[in-house]
Amino acid sequence: MGTNGSRPRQWSRRPWLERTKSEAAYHAQLNKGRLIVSAPPRPDAPPIARRRSRVHGWGVFALAPISKNKRIVEYAGELVQNARATPRETRYLKDGCIWCFQLNRLWVIDAGVGGNIARFINHSCQPNCHSRIEGGLIWICASRTIKAGEELSYNYFTEGAGEIPCRCRAGCQNML
Ligand SMILES: C[S@@+](CC[C@H](N)C(=O)[O-])C[C@H]1O[C@@H](n2cnc3c(N)ncnc32)[C@H](O)[C@@H]1O
Ligand SMILES: [Zn+2]
C-alpha cells in the first residue's frame, strides 16, 4: 500500500536515502538488529481499540469522537528497503495479508515486524481516515469527524493487480 502523492519532488537516491534513514532513525529503536519505527506515546492520542470487524477479521474502532485532521496513530513497524520488502510482501500475500506500507520510493514500513494497532486498520474505498507522512513517520489521520464506535479505515492505494476482493461496502467491485 502507499500514500497518495508521497513521491519526492526531485529524485536523487543518496540524499533521499540518507535523509529518510536519519528522519526515521530519530523515531526508531534498534531491536535485535531491526530498525523499528514508532512514535513515542502521546497523552492527546484519541482512544481507539481493536475489535472484530464486519469488513475483515480485526479492525480498529474509535472509542470517542475524533475531530477532522486529528493524528490518530502512527503506522509502526520495521523500516526496510524496497528490495527487501518485496519478497516479504509476496510471502504475506499468500496468507491474504498486506502489512507493508510504502514510506517513499526506497523505504517501506513492515508492520508484520514490530507493528502496533495501526496494522489492524482495514481498507475502505470511502474511508474516514488518510495517511500523512511527517518526518519519516506514517500517521493515520481523521479525514472528517469520526463518531465514537465507528470503524477507522483508509485507502490502501495498493499497486498492481489486486488479489483480494474489497468488502468495504456491499457491492464494492474493487480489488486490493
Ligand atoms: C493491514 S491488515 C488489516 C487487519 C486485518 N483485518 C486483520 O484482521 O489482520 C490488511 C488485511 O486485511 C484485509 N482487509 C483489509 N481491508 C479489507 C477490505 N476492505 N476488504 C477485504 N479485506 C480487507 C486484507 O486481507 C488485508 O490483507
Ligand atoms: Zn471497497
Side-chain angles (χ1 to χ4, degrees), residues 15-25 79 103-104 106-107 135-136:
W16 182 261
L17 188 150
E18 289 310 325
R19 209 195 80 202
T20 305
K21 218 165 129 185
S22 59
E23 278 179 349
L79 185 74
L103 180 58
N104 56 44
L106 279 182
W107 296 97

Side-chain angles (χ1 to χ4, degrees), residues 55-56 58 96-99 119-120 122-123 156 165-167:
V55 175
H56 175 271
W58 294 105
C97 291
I98 300 172
W99 297 128
R119 75 192 185 117
F120 295 108
N122 284 317
H123 159 95
Y156 286 5
C166 183
R167 295 177 24 169

Side-chain angles (χ1 to χ4, degrees), residues 1-2 75 101 118-119 121-125 127-131 140-141 152-157:
M1 55 188 144
Y75 191 89
F101 199 127
R119 75 192 185 117
I121 302 177
N122 284 317
H123 159 95
S124 174
C125 302
N128 53 16
C129 298
H130 59 275
S131 57
I140 307 302
C141 305
L152 306 182
S153 62
Y154 61 91
N155 192 325
Y156 286 5
F157 290 114

Side-chain angles (χ1 to χ4, degrees), residues 134-169:
E134 274 175 28
L137 286 176
I138 299 169
W139 285 100
I140 307 302
C141 305
S143 300
R144 57 165 171 79
T145 303
I146 298 173
K147 295 187 197 127
E150 262 192 81
E151 178 169 358
L152 306 182
S153 62
Y154 61 91
N155 192 325
Y156 286 5
F157 290 114
T158 46
E159 289 170 353
E163 293 182 18
I164 302 169
C166 183
R167 295 177 24 169
C168 73
R169 64 185 191 282

